[in-house]
Amino acid sequence: MFDHFEHEMHHLRTDELIRQAEHQRLVREAVRVRRAQRRAAQRPARNAEDTPSPGARPGRHGTARAA
């Protein structure tokens, strides 16, 4: 069984792990938001009327050619 000191150390370590996990969640969320903002900023350029998409070539279909 834990003595008082070991019990307190266990709680301190648990609290620290919880803080680290929360920090990692916040970092992942910030990265996700920045990535989404970058993609949203690039989207108008991709959807511009005068800029055809890379796969939009006349006479081409989205299937592979038979061998």
Side-chain angles (χ1 to χ4, degrees):
M1 192 74 192
F2 288 128
D3 67 2
H4 182 71
F5 177 75
E6 290 172 334
H7 186 73
E8 287 299 316
M9 291 301 293
H10 173 73
H11 281 286
L12 289 172
R13 179 69 178 142
T14 301
D15 292 344
E16 178 62 24
L17 289 172
I18 291 169
R19 279 192 295 275
Q20 287 176 1
E22 179 62 23
H23 176 73
Q24 289 170 352
R25 277 191 294 276
L26 289 172
V27 168
R28 282 193 308 269
E29 178 66 13
V31 168
R32 187 190 67 75
V33 167
R34 275 182 295 200
R35 195 173 289 146
Q37 288 172 340
R38 257 196 326 268
R39 287 180 184 148
Q42 292 172 351
R43 203 167 291 132
R46 288 187 192 148
N47 293 334
E49 294 291 329
D50 59 342
T51 310
S53 65
R57 289 181 277 174
R60 296 283 186 143
H61 300 286
T63 58
R65 189 172 65 176

